[in-house]
Every structure is written in C-alpha cells, then in structure tokens.
Amino acid sequence: MKTFQKVVTNLLLILFIQFSFFIQPTQAQKEVFSMEQIMSNPFPSNLVASSKTDRIVWAFNTEGHRNLFVAEGPDYEPRQLTQYNKDAGQALSSVSISSDGNWVVYIRGGDFGSNWNDEGSLNPEFLPDPPKVQIWSIAFEGGEPNLLGEGLSPQISPNNDFVAFVKSGQIWKIKIDGSTKAEKLFNARGRNSSPVWSPDGSQIAFQSNRSDHSFIGVYTDKSTPIIWLDPTFNRDASPRWSPDGKKIVFTRQNGRGGTVKPILENQHQAWEIRTAVVGKEGSTKIWKAPETLRGNMSSTHGRANLHWAAKNRIVFMSYQDGWPHMYSISEKGGEALLLTPGNYMAEYVHLSPNGEQLVFAGNTGKTAGDIDRRHIVQVTVDKANAKVMTEGTGLEWTPVITGKKGDLVYLSATPQRPPIPAVMNPKNKKIKLLAENYIPKNYPADELVTPKQVIFKSKDGWNIHATMFEPKNMTKKSPAIIYVHGGPPRQMLLGWHYSSYYSNGYAVNQYLASQGFVVLSVNYRLGIGYGYEFHRPVDGGTRGASEYKDIKAAALWLAKQNFIDSKNIGIYGGSYGGYLTAMALGRNSDLFAAGVDIHGVHDRTTRVGSFMYPDGYEMAPDREKAREVAWESSPISSVPTWTSPVMIIHADDDRNVQFSQSTDLVQRLNEKGVYNESLVIVDDTHHFMLYKNQLKVNKAAADFLKRFLLK
C-alpha cells in the first residue's frame, strides 16, 4: 500500500511539473533582466604591481574569455595584453610582473584552488589532446607570449632575467624571454616547492617537504652544496629573506606523529617563527604562538602572512586575541606589537615595495554594517596606526602599492557596480576607476537591489549575520530562498564578492530577487569575519554540524516575517553550501519546500576514517563516538525523513568534492522515492571553468526553484 501511494504521489508531482511549463509567468516571474546579462560583467583577479615602476597587471574573465590587462601611471589607461578570445575553460593564475615592469609571467591552465590535483590539466571542451598547464611570459609592451614550460609557482628573479619554477617536485629556472631551454637546478629528495630568490638574485631558498617533516634549503650554484637551515624533526615552511640577503625567517610547526589524540576535541597546534643565518648552523626562535586554541596558525588567506619588512621588523598574522590580526616583532625577538587592534580581520596582506607599509582588506570602517564588507586598511610595520583608506558602502580588496609613486591600487565594487580596478593617489587621496568601459552597456546595474544586513539569533544563542535581497516594488507575501555559501571559511558581503565563485552566487541572488524571491544569504558559524569562536566552534563540521542550527534559524526567522510566504521557502548552495542544503532538506522538509544541492558533501564519515583507523596499534580513544557523530552530521543519515524535491548538480572532474558523494545520494533518494532532478557537467571541475557550463548551472538552479516555489 505504501509503495502504491509513493508511486501515485510521484506521478502527480511529475504531472504538476510538466503542467507548470505551460503556465504563463506572473508579473513577478517576467524577466527584468536575463541570467546572461547579470553574468556578462568582466571579473578581475590576480592584481599585481611592479616594485620599481607604476605598472600594474590584472586578469579579466569575460564570459570565459580570460585575458591579462595592463596599465601604467600616471594615467593608468587599461590595455588588453593577451588575446585568448575563446571560452576555453583555461584559468590564468600566478600572475607576476618584473620589478622593472618589462615582463609579465603567468600560468595558463589547471584548476588552482582545488583540494587535490589543481595542477592537473583540465579538458572541459573534450579535446583529443588536453591542454597542458604551462608557464608563459609576455612583454609588458605586448607581442606574442613565450612558452617557458610546464610547471608551477613561477618566481621572477630580482634581476628580471630568469624565472624559477617547480616541476615534478624539483626547482628549475629559465630565461624570462624563453630564449633558452629550462634547466633543472638540482635533485633533492622530497617534494621541493616555494622558491624564493635572494635580494641580489644569487641564491634561491625553498621548502623541501619530506612527508612527516620538511626543511628549508638554500641553493647557490651547481658547484655549491645545498645548505639546509637547522634541520629537525619538525615542519619548516614559508622562507623569507632579510633585506641584506644574509638571513632567512621561516615558520616551524611540529612534525607529524605523537600519541593519537581524541577526534572530537580541538587541539592546539604549536608553531613558532625562527631566523637563521645562511651558512651557519642552528636557528633562533624569535616568537612562539600562545599554547591556546586561538594560538593556532590562522587558516585565512596567506596563513602566517610572514614578511621580513623594513626597520628590522618581521610581520606576521596571529589569531591569538580572537581575530586574524597583523603583528610586528624585532628580528632579534622580544615582545610582538599588535598592529591592527579591534574586532575585525585582516586578509590579502601586501607589503609595500619599500617594506615600510602593510595594506590589506579588512571588515572594518565607520559605516554601519562594515563588518559585512571589505575596505582597504593601511598600517606601518612598526606602529599601531592602522587607517581605513576606503570608507563608505562600497567594497574594496586585494590592495597593492606601486614601486615608483606609491599609488594604492585595488579592486573595487558596490552593491550595483561589478568589480573593477581602482587607483588612489597617495597624496590627494583621489580615486580613479579603471576599465569602466569594459562593463557591458546593457548590464542591469540600475535593476540591482542593495542587500540589507540582517542579524538574528540561533537556537543556542549565537548572533548570525545574513544579507537579504528583497524584490523591488514588493507588494505581497513573497516566496523566499536561503543561499548557503561554501568553504566553509567564507563570508558573504553587502555587495559583489572578491571571489569569482561567490561573485557568481551574488549574481544569481540578484537574479532571483528580480524574479520575485526574497533571498537570504546566511553567514553561518565556521565562516570568517566574526572572530575565532565563530570560525572554529567546538561542535562544528564532523564534530556535530552545529552550523546547521544557523540555517534552520534562518528559515524560522523568515517564516515569522509578514512579507514572506512561509509555505514556499527554498534553499540552495554549492560545496559546503550543498552539504547544508542537503542537510536542510533531509532534516527539515517541513521548513524547506525545495532545494538545489550543487556538488555538496553528503557522507562525512569518510572525512574521519583516516583518524579513527591509523596504520598502527594505537587508535583514537573516542573513535566509535566520532564515527557516530560524523554519521549524524551527514545528510545521508537524514534521507529517511527527506520528502522535499531537490535538484542535484555536479561536475565529474570535481577536485574539491568527490563526484561519488552525489552519485551515492541520488541512489539513496531514488530508493526512498524522493523526487529529484540532476544535472551532470562532464569533464569540468568544482569551479565550472567553462562559462557556458556555469551559465547552464545557474539557469537550471533558478528554473528549478521557480518551478517549485513561485505559485
């Protein structure tokens, strides 16, 4: 009888869906602008500046056409440098410019930012001969790019004549114009990476990863043995040269091993900063992190953000006071100086060419709601005199300082205007926007809404921030959609986002608002921007998924608003957002009427398996409890109570979330009889590198939500 009822229910649902295609759209459903229009803006990234000139470079992605653009002070007129005029799905990354401003070096290909195999070739066009991941150089003045070879981590020498890079775990170099054959500098055990030229270009420091430990090495020439700086049973990383080229500062963490710790408890991970004189034995500890959870190394952009600055100062990031702040310490050690006090975070940190200033993006300022924005902050390396340089309701990020005049260059957006580069004159503080003419004339800026900051309480008392998109001219109760970001260490903002992935999410949220939805983008715990305890809750993720409480609280808050149709609240998100979307539909189909799960994680037990059953006699004391909690923290454990329809989207060359996570979920939903639709993108990745694939995903998600939630 139950099986018969299930079949009838599914048949009726299918008939409803088919019938809905023939219903003429209501006024709210008529397109104010198309998905193509809202996705047509060029997205900038990889902004860099020359350390001795006022020349800058950035990458623009315009509907999948990824190209480098350049400009030069004082006028900073943008000019397209490369001519990759095809939606080929090949990223441009690791962009750098020589100190004299004459050469630009970059990588084309790969999917950098993945969890594995980001340097592997990507072939979403199904070419018989897949594109390679290659390093290129091109003259700033223009011309044909020069192929330097396959590899990673290109670093231009201070003399602007060679490029060092990583290939097959070894360090290589080649003439910057590609006129000579690439040369392997040495053979060393381990995976060697992170090449850093000495200030005079005569030596290269690098990290040698030996699995459970790592060393800092220094290469001089073919006739000189490699120098290993104070080798121990620890993991050394992030080598940085002193300005005189005689010393190196680096971070040290414990090597892997030790007694097996409880899985369900957060542990302090010790780390310290050390200096070593090149050619002399030993090293000197100048700073050690507090032995607290807050004392763990920051996991935000740049992690330690270690720099050897001017005035004999070493700067770094620490979470020790509850916020990712920048600190400064003498190269001889002593007490560290907090440079950026206050309840805000620093990320995308850049040291000025003269080593005297730090500029970074921070969620602080004088405007209400700035904790949910980004502004450019500047501070000197030896004084706590941080100053917000870009106040207001806009958003600014990835600042750099040019080497000649010291112009401040960054990426800038508003809730309506998509991101473009901007230049601030350091003397008169005047700002010039670059490349505005590259925003399409039919771009619907005037139709976009300004998201509002919303703060509500979770059931266990946390203040949860969200940004809300309301339809223009809303006159009746509207259906609502909760958008869940991925990461999870991310923060959605009151305007366009600095990540291309979440800039795309912002565009879709604007489109959904134009269709009559109220969209609530939730900044749940595990995210950044609100302090350490919010970022690292003791019961988050596989330890209890407490972050789901914030998603449920968002739905309950929406349902209480008099402008919301509480019977039609949907949810969608990608990656970790897909995970929480599946969690919501499985646990609370009574609250969520439909959802779109984009490449979500569905079985968390695979995450803790390697900790529960290591290769040895010892096992974690709470292994069985951890396995149980991980299962309860998995959406597949809630399939028995899942009734709401769902669309599941995944690309099968995903290098962040295993495709099998969605394959398994679909089978479970089919077995239970839960209505589901699917969209598989062949040979693309987590980031949908082909523009046409991203457009297809966005349209499919929006169409599904409209069909099930717009009555």
Side-chain angles (χ1 to χ4, degrees):
M1 185 65 181
K2 289 184 178 179
T3 302
F4 175 75
Q5 290 176 335
K6 186 186 299 181
V7 171
V8 172
T9 300
N10 284 339
L11 285 173
L12 290 173
L13 184 58
I14 292 169
L15 288 171
F16 162 74
I17 294 166
Q18 292 175 339
F19 178 72
S20 68
F21 282 114
F22 298 97
I23 299 176
Q24 293 297 315
T26 65
Q27 185 65 35
Q29 290 174 277
K30 290 181 180 179
E31 284 198 335
V32 178
F33 52 83
S34 67
M35 190 70 79
E36 287 86 350
Q37 282 179 282
I38 192 64
M39 292 178 61
S40 65
N41 64 289
F43 185 83
S45 63
N46 287 271
L47 176 66
V48 292
S50 167
S51 62
K52 294 182 179 178
T53 72
D54 291 331
R55 291 181 168 185
I56 61 173
V57 186
W58 70 93
F60 254 159
N61 179 1
T62 306
E63 297 182 354
H65 298 188
R66 296 173 172 90
N67 281 287
L68 296 179
F69 282 68
V70 296
E72 182 175 7
D75 297 328
Y76 292 103
E77 291 300 324
R79 169 172 56 88
Q80 185 172 333
L81 184 62
T82 59
Q83 305 298 323
Y84 299 116
N85 296 318
K86 179 185 177 184
D87 179 19
Q90 301 302 310
L92 300 182
S93 61
S94 297
V95 178
S96 59
I97 182 171
S98 58
S99 62
D100 60 10
N102 291 333
W103 288 98
V104 176
V105 174
Y106 60 98
I107 292 178
R108 186 167 190 259
D111 187 26
F112 294 93
S114 298
N115 291 339
W116 65 86
N117 196 31
D118 51 4
E119 75 279 8
S121 63
L122 174 63
N123 190 21
E125 292 187 290
F126 322 128
L127 302 177
D129 186 17
K132 295 178 173 61
V133 180
Q134 298 171 322
I135 302 172
W136 297 81
S137 70
I138 186 171
F140 184 90
E141 298 299 338
E144 290 297 316
N146 307 298
L147 176 60
L148 302 185
E150 298 178 44
L152 311 170
S153 307
Q155 299 293 321
I156 302 173
S157 73
N159 301 323
N160 307 304
D161 51 356
F162 284 96
V163 175
F165 62 97
V166 178
K167 180 180 179 181
S168 301
Q170 302 295 335
I171 310 298
W172 298 58
K173 78 171 184 178
I174 189 173
K175 289 281 287 186
I176 197 168
D177 61 1
S179 61
T180 60
K181 188 177 180 180
E183 171 191 12
K184 186 193 295 186
L185 297 182
F186 56 85
N187 281 293
R189 293 180 57 248
R191 301 288 297 181
N192 303 292
S193 62
S194 307
V196 185
W197 292 90
S198 62
D200 64 359
S202 65
Q203 296 177 299
I204 296 176
F206 62 96
Q207 177 182 342
S208 183
N209 190 339
R210 309 289 177 95
S211 184
D212 63 347
H213 64 284
S214 58
F215 304 139
I216 302 299
V218 177
Y219 168 83
T220 303
D221 54 42
K222 292 287 188 181
S223 60
T224 304
I226 291 172
I227 300 171
W228 299 108
L229 302 182
D230 190 23
T232 65
F233 293 98
N234 295 299
R235 290 178 292 160
D236 296 343
S238 303
R240 303 289 186 266
W241 289 90
S242 61
D244 62 8
K246 295 180 180 180
K247 298 179 181 179
I248 288 178
V249 64
F250 58 94
T251 64
R252 172 166 288 175
Q253 294 177 277
N254 292 340
R256 293 195 180 98
T259 58
V260 178
K261 305 295 192 301
I263 299 169
L264 295 174
E265 295 179 10
N266 287 332
Q267 305 290 332
H268 171 62
Q269 304 294 329
W271 72 285
E272 58 192 36
I273 298 174
R274 304 184 74 90
T275 59
V277 178
V278 177
K280 291 188 177 182
E281 291 188 2
S283 65
T284 301
K285 179 175 65 178
I286 65 168
W287 181 83
K288 182 179 180 180
E291 296 180 3
T292 63
L293 293 179
R294 288 180 171 190
N296 289 348
M297 187 180 291
S298 171
S299 59
T300 54
H301 182 267
R303 291 179 60 77
N305 282 283
L306 187 65
H307 296 278
W308 201 311
K311 303 179 181 180
N312 301 317
R313 304 297 291 183
I314 290 168
V315 295
F316 62 96
M317 177 178 284
S318 174
Y319 228 146
Q320 63 184 285
D321 70 348
W323 294 87
H325 281 154
M326 294 305 298
Y327 290 77
S328 168
I329 193 170
S330 166
E331 63 179 72
K332 296 180 181 180
E335 185 176 352
L337 171 66
L338 172 59
L339 297 176
T340 58
N343 293 341
Y344 67 93
M345 67 175 294
E347 60 180 351
Y348 295 93
V349 180
H350 171 77
L351 180 66
S352 65
N354 63 12
E356 296 180 358
Q357 303 283 335
L358 291 173
V359 286
F360 59 88
N363 56 336
T364 185
K366 299 178 182 178
T367 306
D370 272 344
I371 195 171
D372 293 317
R373 297 189 183 93
R374 291 292 184 274
H375 294 308
I376 306 305
V377 184
Q378 180 172 299
V379 64
T380 56
V381 299
D382 61 343
K383 296 179 182 178
N385 58 358
K387 179 182 179 181
V388 178
M389 305 297 290
T390 56
E391 297 279 6
T393 58
L395 302 98
E396 303 84 26
W397 59 86
T398 58
V400 294
I401 295 178
T402 64
K404 189 176 181 181
K405 288 178 55 183
D407 292 327
L408 176 61
V409 189
Y410 51 90
L411 300 178
S412 166
T414 71
Q416 283 74 35
R417 175 178 53 74
I420 54 175
V423 179
M424 176 185 291
N425 185 301
K427 294 181 179 179
N428 58 26
K429 301 298 185 290
K430 288 186 177 180
I431 298 171
K432 178 179 181 178
L433 297 177
L434 311 185
E436 282 187 285
N437 57 312
Y438 286 91
I439 301 175
K441 292 183 179 179
N442 68 340
Y443 193 80
D446 292 340
E447 303 299 331
L448 303 188
V449 300
T450 299
K452 299 177 181 178
Q453 183 189 62
V454 171
I455 303 175
F456 53 88
K457 290 263 188 195
S458 65
K459 186 177 181 179
D460 52 351
W462 287 87
N463 283 328
I464 307 303
H465 286 235
T467 57
M468 184 168 65
F469 303 73
E470 294 179 306
K472 290 188 175 182
N473 305 316
M474 185 171 58
T475 58
K476 59 180 182 180
K477 288 192 173 185
S478 297
I481 295 172
I482 291 175
Y483 171 70
V484 194
H485 69 72
R490 306 286 186 268
Q491 182 187 24
M492 298 305 293
L493 308 171
L494 292 167
W496 288 94
H497 204 276
Y498 51 83
S499 159
S500 60
Y501 189 99
Y502 299 108
S503 177
N504 177 76
Y506 183 84
V508 174
N509 290 342
Q510 287 280 3
Y511 175 81
L512 292 171
S514 77
Q515 294 294 290
F517 290 103
V518 171
V519 182
L520 191 68
S521 178
V522 183
N523 284 323
Y524 54 90
R525 74 191 80 177
L526 289 180
I528 58 174
Y530 309 106
Y532 181 85
E533 280 69 31
F534 191 89
H535 184 189
R536 296 293 188 189
V538 295
D539 54 354
T542 56
R543 295 186 172 108
S546 61
E547 62 274 17
Y548 176 67
K549 297 176 183 178
D550 309 335
I551 305 304
K552 183 176 180 179
L556 293 173
W557 181 86
L558 280 170
K560 293 178 181 178
Q561 308 309 306
N562 58 15
F563 54 87
I564 296 297
D565 177 2
S566 61
K567 299 295 184 182
N568 286 291
I569 297 176
I571 186 169
Y572 87 104
S575 195
Y576 211 89
Y579 159 68
L580 287 172
T581 293
M583 186 80 80
L585 297 172
R587 290 187 176 185
N588 287 110
S589 283
D590 57 327
L591 292 175
F592 298 96
V596 178
D597 170 0
I598 306 172
H599 45 229
V601 180
H602 307 120
D603 183 359
R604 303 304 301 276
T605 62
T606 59
R607 173 70 178 83
V608 299
S610 59
F611 296 104
M612 289 190 292
Y613 302 109
D615 295 329
Y617 176 79
E618 267 187 304
M619 288 187 285
D622 59 350
R623 60 191 181 279
E624 294 302 328
K625 179 63 175 178
R627 182 169 61 174
E628 178 184 347
V629 172
W631 170 254
E632 293 172 351
S633 302
S634 302
I636 56 174
S637 71
S638 298
V639 168
T641 54
W642 189 324
T643 58
S644 295
V646 62
M647 169 171 271
I648 299 172
I649 302 174
H650 214 134
D652 84 326
D653 191 17
D654 195 318
R655 303 171 190 187
N656 291 72
V657 175
Q658 293 283 0
F659 186 78
S660 59
Q661 290 278 333
S662 291
T663 303
D664 176 65
L665 178 63
V666 168
Q667 311 317 311
R668 292 172 185 269
L669 294 176
N670 288 340
E671 290 170 4
K672 183 173 183 294
V674 176
Y675 180 83
N676 65 88
E677 298 178 16
S678 62
L679 173 61
V680 172
I681 306 296
V682 179
D683 286 348
D684 209 334
T685 73
H686 198 74
H687 301 102
F688 302 118
M689 302 298 289
L690 275 182
Y691 167 78
K692 67 178 183 180
N693 284 344
Q694 183 68 81
L695 179 62
K696 185 177 183 179
V697 168
N698 290 356
K699 283 187 168 183
D703 174 70
F704 185 88
L705 293 169
K706 287 193 290 183
R707 280 190 281 128
F708 281 92
L709 300 174
L710 279 177
K711 305 301 182 184

